Amino acid sequence: MSEQILKMEHIVKSYLMGEEVQTVLEGVDLSINKGEFVSILGPSGSGKSTLMNIIGCLDVPTEGKYTLSGHEVEGLDEAELAYIRNKEIGFIFQQFQLLPRLSALDNVELPLIYAGIPEKERKIKAADMLTRVGLEDKMKNRPNQLSGGQQQRVAIARAMVTEPTILLADEPTGALDQKMGQQIMTLFRQLHEEGKTIVMITHDLNIAQKASRIVRILDGKLIEEGSYV
Ligand SMILES: Nc1ncnc2c1ncn2[C@@H]1O[C@H](COP(=O)(O)OP(=O)(O)OP(=O)(O)O)[C@@H](O)[C@H]1O
Ligand SMILES: [Mg+2]
């Protein structure tokens, strides 16, 4: 049986806007197994980022139970959430969010500095990761000396270098042209084949279809689309 690494049970997220309660997630159930490549597809305002923030332990649900890699998230304080987040989640953002003054290698090394890994080991791991994403000859380049697609590859290497349980990507191709976007999706498929668990948020059906499972989000509810593999 596959190992379940993420489980949401009847997750509700509401915001208080003045006197009015606005419910953005209306009882979401979602289970993801180790090694799955899942896209969460939905239009603007449907609650994708809200859901991503909960998956990534950047925010907590108003109601419901969320379990990530055996950690039950309910009732944890900020420091405990940060600990789980750093250990379990590798974030990939639309705008890459690399540090502009650092080389590709130094950007990828950064999470390992925070994790207290010794320098020699850091350099080896960071270089390995950049090689895996096809950037072995660009390690010394700073972000402005790389194409958008290459910058996103650096960001993916940075997300993977601490060996998180899940790669969590929010519109990872949103800032790229179609060709570069397809190259990033090819890389995701390759990582998926190597066994990585990937959760990707997008509003783009073409991009979503590169995953092996699509979950639609509409008006705060999830609808399973079936498997495409
Ligand atoms: N902190 C907040 N306070 C109040 N309402 C919020 C808050 N964050 C999000 N919302 C509301 O929740 C709804 C969903 O927002 P969310 O950012 O999750 O959408 P999204 O699917 O990511 O959209 P997009 O594709 O445009 O990024 C929106 O109606 C938004 O106004
Ligand atoms: Mg969003």
Side-chain angles (χ1 to χ4, degrees), residues 57-169:
C57 298
L58 291 162
D59 202 354
V60 289
T62 313
E63 280 174 41
K65 187 170 160 188
Y66 177 39
T67 315
L68 175 63
S69 266
H71 305 279
E72 213 185 291
V73 166
E74 192 181 359
L76 298 186
D77 65 25
E78 199 35 62
E80 291 165 322
L81 281 176
Y83 172 79
I84 293 178
R85 183 159 69 227
N86 291 335
K87 187 158 155 288
E88 307 291 346
I89 306 279
F91 288 95
I92 297 157
F93 303 99
Q94 180 170 347
Q95 301 294 344
F96 327 131
Q97 307 205 358
L98 301 172
L99 294 184
R101 289 173 192 281
L102 297 186
S103 68
L105 188 72
D106 290 344
N107 266 286
V108 176
E109 207 185 316
L110 210 54
L112 298 175
I113 296 179
Y114 297 137
I117 309 289
E119 185 175 359
K120 203 170 158 203
E121 196 183 330
R122 284 197 317 251
K123 299 268 183 236
I124 294 170
K125 282 196 167 173
D128 269 2
M129 255 342 127
L130 282 168
T131 304
R132 272 179 77 174
V133 300
L135 290 179
E136 55 276 29
D137 56 348
K138 302 284 181 190
M139 298 203 194
K140 296 210 168 100
N141 292 46
R142 286 193 307 275
N144 68 0
Q145 300 165 327
L146 295 167
S147 73
Q150 290 167 341
Q151 289 181 57
Q152 191 60 303
R153 282 168 192 274
V154 175
I156 292 168
R158 180 185 56 187
M160 292 197 302
V161 77
T162 52
E163 296 172 31
T165 316
I166 301 179
L167 290 179
L168 184 55

Side-chain angles (χ1 to χ4, degrees), residues 15-17 22 24 42-51 170-171 201 203 217:
Y15 296 106
L16 195 59
M17 297 295 289
Q22 193 196 354
V24 179
S44 182
S46 57
K48 298 187 296 297
S49 294
T50 304
L51 182 61
D170 193 2
E171 301 279 3
I201 302 221
H203 68 276
I217 180 166

